[in-house]
Amino acid sequence: MDIIASLTSELNVGRGQVEAAVKLIDEGNTIPFIARYRKEATGSLNDEVLRTLDERLRYLRGLEEKKAQVMASIADQGKLTGELKKKIGEARTMVAVDDLYLPYRPKRKTRASMARERGLEPLADWIASQNAGTSLEDAAKPYVSEEKGVDSVKTAIAGAKDILAERIAEDAGYRTWVREITMNEGRIASEVRGEEDPESVYEKYFHHEEPAKSCPGHRVLALNRGEKEKILTVKVEAPEEKILQYLETHVITGKDPVTSPVLKEVVKDSYGRLMAPAIEREIRNAVTEKAENGAFQVFKKTLNQLLMEPPISGQVVLGWDPAFRTGCKLAVVDPTGKVLDTVVIYPTAPQNKVEQAKKVLKDLIGKYHVTLISLGNGTASRESEQIIADFLKEIPEDVRYVIVNEAGASVYSASKLATEEFPGFDVGQRSAVSIARRLQDPLAELVKIDPKSIGVGQYQHDLNQKRLDEVLGSVVEDCVNRVGVDLNTASVSLLEHISGISRTIAKNIVAYREENGAFTDRKQLLKVPKLGPKAFEQCAGFLRVPESRSVLDNTAVHPESYAAAEKLLSLTGHTLTDVRDGKLGDLNAQIRTYGEDRAAADCGVGVPTLRDVAAELMKPGRDIRDELPKPILRTDVLEMKDLKPGMVLTGTVRNVIDF
C-alpha cells in the first residue's frame, strides 16, 4: 500500500504536504512545532490536520506491519498463494486482514479442529463436493474408529459438519458481506433485565430498538452503560433470513439430494453458532468506536474552551470554595498568584454565621485590597452567591465576583502536586487557592489537573481511557503551545506540555531558575541539563522571556527567524526599539507596499513565516487569549426580579453533549 497516497486522499491535501509532514514527524518534531514553525514545508497544515495525519500514519504503518506478520505466518504453514498474498496486500483495514488470516490463525481446540484430528476432513470434503453417488451413512462408515474416538456414523457426520461450518464462518468474502448487511440493515435492541423501574434513567430503553447504522452516539453510550450496570440487555438483531439465503445460495451450488440438506443445516449452524456472535461483537465495537470518536470531538472542544478562557490579570483575588457543614474556605492571592491569606467562614447552614462572615470578608478586602471574588460553582454555591451579592451592596469598595467552574479543584487539592506546592495547607485551603488562580490564569492552573477530572462531558468514564488520555493530552499540548508560557514564572506542570520538553527537563528548568535566578534570554536554556539543541529547537519559540534585553525573546518569533525579523524591520525602516515601544505603525501596509513575496525572499523565509513574524512584531508579549470574550464580572443578578429591561445576562454552559 502507498501510505502517502492513502493519506493524501483521506486528508484531501497535496502529496508534497503529506510527504513533508511525515518526514518532519519521523525526524522527531512535535505537532505544535510543525504547525507553527514549518508552514512552508507543509503548506500551512494546521495542528488539527497534522494530528489526524499522525494518527492515521501510525494506523497505516501498523496495518502494513500486521500484513507482513500475517503473510509470514501463512508462508511458514506453506499455504501462502499468490492470490492470497495479493488480497492481504490490498486490504485497507485491520478487520479485513483479520478476516483473511482467520482460517490460518493458530487456534485453541474447537469442535472442527478435534474433528480434523479424528481424520474426518476427507468426509467433509466429500460432502462439500456435492456429488454424493451414495448415502451419507455409507460414506461415513469408513471413518468410524474407536481408536480415533469416532464411535458411530452419527459422530463422523457431526464432525464433518463441524469442519464445514468452521470453513464457512472463516471465509473472508462471506464475513465481509454478512458484516456489511448487518450494519446496514441490522437493529440495535435493548430490553430491561429484571423488574421495570419507572424512575430509572434507562426507562426509555427498557423496550427499545432502532437501526444500528443511524443510532446516535449518545444513545450507543447510554445503552453500553445500562448494559454494564446490568440494567439492560443489548443485542444486534440481524436480517437473519436474508443472510441464510445468501449463504445457502453460495454454499449449495448443486442440487444433490444427499448433501444439499446437510449443507443447509451446516449453513444455519455456521451462522448461528460461529459467525453471528463474532459479527455482533464487531458491529457493537464499530458503533461504539464511532460514538466514542463523536464524544472525543465534543470533549476536545469543551476542554479547549475551558483552557483558552482569557486570564484576568493585575487583580487581587479572593477564592471562595463553598460548603455547608464544613464551612466556606477562602484564600486571597496577589496578582502573581502568591497566597496572602487563608481563612474558613461559616455563613451557610447549619451554622448560618452570616454577620461574622461578612466581618471577615470586610477585613480581608480592606487589608489586601481585594478587587475580585472567585466563587466555585459546587455545593452551597447559590447560597454563597446570595451572601456575596448582599455583602457587596454594603461596602464602599468596588468589588465584583465571578462564578468559576470548580471541576477538578478537589482532585487537585488532594494530589501530590498540591501537597508539594502547599505542604502546610489542608485540602480545603488548596481548593480555594485553585479556584482563585483559575480565574487569574485558567490555563496555568488547569494543567495541574488530569483533564478527565475537569468535567469535559458526559460518558467520559465509559470511553476507551487510553484513547481519551491521548485526545485530551493533545488538546492541552496544543493550547499551552498556542498561548506560550513565561519561562520565569511557569510551573513544572505548565512547562512539561511545551513542545520538546519532558517532565524531567521541566523540573531541570525550574531547578536551574531557582539556583541561578531568572532567565535573561532564550539562549540560556541550552545551559539547562538534558536540554540539548533538538529540544531547544522544539521549545524555544513557545517560551517567553519578558526580562530579556531582546524584545524578540518575548514573542513567538523562533530564534531561527531572529535574523529574518531584524531584516524585515530594516526593510521597513524600523528597529527593535520601535518594537519594544510599539511604534511600528501599520507594518503590514508597509510590507504590502514593499511586496510580500519580495520581502519574504529578502528576509530568507517563506511568506507564511513572514506573516507570523510581522504579527508578533506588532504585538510583542501579546496573549492570544485576550482576543476572546472575558469572564462576566457580576455584582447582583441572582433572581428573575433582578433582571431589568434591555439587560443581557450571560450564563455558563455546565455540560455539552452531541445530540
Side-chain angles (χ1 to χ4, degrees):
M1 182 196 294
D2 184 342
I3 290 177
I4 301 296
S6 294
L7 291 171
T8 300
S9 173
E10 284 181 35
L11 301 171
N12 197 24
V13 295
R15 185 180 176 94
Q17 290 175 284
V18 173
E19 286 174 337
V22 169
K23 184 171 183 286
L24 287 163
I25 289 168
D26 288 344
E27 288 170 354
N29 296 289
T30 68
I31 298 301
F33 176 80
I34 298 169
R36 179 76 171 119
Y37 297 113
R38 292 296 178 262
K39 290 180 179 178
E40 282 84 359
T42 68
S44 298
L45 294 179
N46 63 33
D47 49 13
E48 195 171 334
V49 174
L50 286 166
R51 286 210 180 274
T52 304
L53 184 149
D54 184 36
E55 191 177 306
R56 290 295 297 156
L57 176 66
R58 280 183 276 128
Y59 178 88
L60 293 173
R61 282 178 170 171
L63 178 61
E64 290 304 301
E65 281 178 26
K66 182 164 188 170
K67 287 179 186 179
Q69 290 165 2
V70 163
M71 285 192 217
S73 174
I74 299 172
D76 287 345
Q77 299 169 40
K79 296 176 181 176
L80 185 63
T81 63
E83 185 186 359
L84 182 57
K85 185 175 181 180
K86 183 170 183 284
K87 282 182 181 176
I88 294 170
E90 290 172 352
R92 311 288 296 179
T93 64
M94 297 283 190
V95 173
V97 176
D98 282 335
D99 281 352
L100 291 163
Y101 185 41
L102 192 57
Y104 310 96
R105 186 191 295 278
K107 293 179 178 65
R108 56 181 176 77
K109 271 199 179 265
T110 64
R111 280 162 49 172
S113 69
M114 288 189 286
R116 285 192 196 93
E117 286 170 11
R118 291 169 181 160
L120 296 172
E121 192 139 35
L123 180 57
D125 292 338
W126 178 82
I127 296 170
S129 71
Q130 301 179 49
N131 188 17
T134 184
S135 72
L136 189 59
E137 289 72 17
D138 286 345
K141 278 177 187 172
Y143 298 95
V144 177
S145 164
E146 283 188 27
E147 188 185 325
K148 291 186 176 179
V150 184
D151 57 7
S152 67
V153 165
K154 189 178 177 183
T155 303
I157 294 170
K161 285 160 75 174
D162 287 338
I163 292 170
L164 292 170
E166 189 172 270
R167 282 185 196 170
I168 293 167
E170 291 182 348
D171 184 285
Y174 296 161
R175 289 180 79 90
T176 301
W177 189 91
V178 172
R179 185 184 297 112
E180 286 177 1
I181 196 167
T182 304
M183 177 61 90
N184 290 328
E185 297 185 20
R187 299 178 74 79
I188 288 185
S190 60
E191 289 290 326
V192 64
R193 292 176 65 170
E195 291 184 22
E196 294 187 14
D197 174 10
E199 299 297 313
S200 169
V201 293
Y202 301 107
E203 189 267 335
K204 63 182 174 182
Y205 300 122
F206 285 174
H207 309 287
H208 175 81
E209 70 167 66
E210 66 181 300
K213 69 174 180 180
S214 58
C215 186
H218 65 274
R219 278 213 286 276
V220 170
L221 297 174
L223 290 168
N224 289 355
R225 182 185 284 183
E227 184 179 45
K228 190 177 179 183
E229 293 177 7
K230 295 186 166 45
I231 293 167
L232 303 174
T233 56
V234 183
K235 61 181 179 179
V236 176
E237 294 179 342
E240 189 170 330
E241 277 187 40
K242 195 177 278 191
I243 290 169
L244 290 176
Q245 191 179 358
Y246 168 85
L247 291 173
E248 285 172 14
T249 303
H250 285 74
V251 172
I252 308 170
T253 53
K255 292 183 179 178
D256 185 73
V258 174
T259 57
S260 291
V262 179
L263 288 171
K264 191 166 185 176
E265 288 175 29
V266 166
V267 164
K268 190 170 184 181
D269 174 54
S270 175
Y271 175 68
R273 179 170 60 88
L274 300 173
M275 201 184 293
I279 296 291
E280 180 173 16
R281 280 194 301 274
E282 289 171 10
I283 298 296
R284 291 286 304 278
N285 288 340
V287 296
T288 297
E289 187 179 341
K290 184 181 175 186
E292 288 188 344
N293 287 337
F296 289 143
Q297 293 308 312
V298 175
F299 295 171
K300 282 170 69 173
K301 188 174 180 181
T302 305
L303 181 59
N304 182 77
Q305 288 171 337
L306 285 170
L307 295 176
M308 294 299 285
E309 274 192 11
I312 294 181
S313 54
Q315 306 237 28
V316 178
V317 179
L318 184 149
W320 181 308
D321 183 13
F324 287 116
R325 185 180 53 80
T326 55
C328 300
K329 274 66 72 177
L330 310 182
V332 180
V333 300
D334 75 4
T336 67
K338 180 184 174 186
V339 182
L340 303 175
D341 207 341
T342 64
V343 68
V344 183
I345 56 175
Y346 300 89
T348 53
Q351 290 92 339
N352 296 312
K353 297 178 181 177
V354 177
E355 292 309 315
Q356 187 180 331
K358 285 181 177 179
K359 184 180 182 306
V360 172
L361 285 171
K362 192 171 184 180
D363 291 345
L364 288 173
I365 288 169
K367 183 176 180 181
Y368 298 111
H369 308 294
V370 172
T371 51
L372 202 51
I373 296 172
S374 177
L375 171 62
N377 67 348
T379 305
S381 177
R382 292 292 292 174
E383 291 77 5
S384 297
E385 184 181 11
Q386 185 68 63
I387 292 159
I388 292 168
D390 292 343
F391 169 71
L392 295 183
K393 292 172 187 172
E394 299 169 9
I395 62 171
E397 292 92 345
D398 181 19
V399 179
R400 303 290 180 102
Y401 74 90
V402 179
I403 297 177
V404 300
N405 182 349
E406 67 172 56
S410 58
V411 174
Y412 161 74
S413 60
S415 69
K416 182 171 177 279
L417 179 65
T419 307
E420 291 170 356
E421 200 170 0
F422 303 109
F425 286 13
D426 64 28
V427 290
Q429 290 170 301
R430 293 176 195 145
S431 186
V433 172
S434 177
I435 288 168
R437 285 177 167 181
R438 64 173 62 189
L439 189 62
Q440 292 180 316
D441 191 341
L443 183 61
E445 199 60 27
L446 291 174
V447 292
K448 299 175 184 175
I449 303 165
D450 177 356
K452 287 184 291 189
S453 300
I454 301 175
V456 291
Q458 206 170 6
Y459 300 116
Q460 66 186 55
H461 302 295
D462 302 320
L463 305 182
N464 180 323
Q465 296 300 294
K466 182 174 181 288
R467 178 86 179 96
L468 182 61
D469 287 338
E470 287 175 3
V471 167
L472 298 184
S474 70
V475 175
V476 176
E477 183 183 36
D478 287 341
C479 288
V480 171
N481 286 283
R482 210 177 308 144
V483 171
V485 305
D486 185 331
L487 185 54
N488 286 322
T489 60
S491 63
V492 170
S493 304
L494 201 52
L495 288 166
E496 69 176 316
H497 291 291
I498 288 292
S499 166
I501 295 183
S502 63
R503 185 161 183 82
T504 301
I505 294 176
K507 286 180 176 178
N508 291 348
I509 289 172
V510 172
Y512 182 91
R513 197 170 68 199
E514 288 171 354
E515 191 178 326
N516 300 285
F519 284 87
T520 53
D521 59 39
R522 278 173 170 162
K523 279 187 289 188
Q524 218 176 329
L525 277 165
L526 289 165
K527 296 179 181 177
V528 172
K530 296 191 176 177
L531 201 158
K534 182 67 178 179
F536 179 79
E537 177 193 54
Q538 298 297 303
C539 74
F542 303 108
L543 297 168
R544 313 281 184 267
V545 190
E547 296 79 6
S548 174
R549 278 177 293 183
S550 170
V551 69
L552 296 178
D553 281 344
N554 194 30
T555 68
V557 177
H558 196 283
E560 67 187 10
S561 297
Y562 281 6
E566 290 177 28
K567 178 70 174 176
L568 176 62
L569 291 169
S570 172
L571 291 177
T572 53
H574 296 291
T575 64
L576 287 172
T577 305
D578 294 335
V579 176
R580 190 183 295 278
D581 296 341
K583 294 179 178 176
L584 291 190
D586 190 347
L587 182 62
N588 287 326
Q590 290 177 285
I591 292 170
R592 283 193 297 273
T593 302
Y594 188 86
E596 195 174 51
D597 290 333
R598 180 182 163 206
D602 288 353
C603 294
V605 294
V607 170
T609 297
L610 182 83
R611 289 172 182 167
D612 286 345
V613 167
E616 289 298 318
L617 293 176
M618 293 284 284
K619 293 181 178 178
R622 72 173 178 148
D623 189 325
I624 60 168
R625 294 172 296 175
D626 290 341
E627 298 163 12
L628 302 169
K630 297 283 185 190
I632 308 302
L633 307 184
R634 298 165 64 173
T635 53
D636 61 356
V637 175
L638 289 168
E639 302 173 33
M640 292 297 286
K641 64 183 176 62
D642 297 326
L643 296 172
K644 296 175 178 61
M647 183 182 282
V648 176
L649 184 66
T650 305
T652 302
V653 175
R654 296 282 175 86
N655 208 339
V656 180
I657 190 159
D658 186 12
F659 285 114

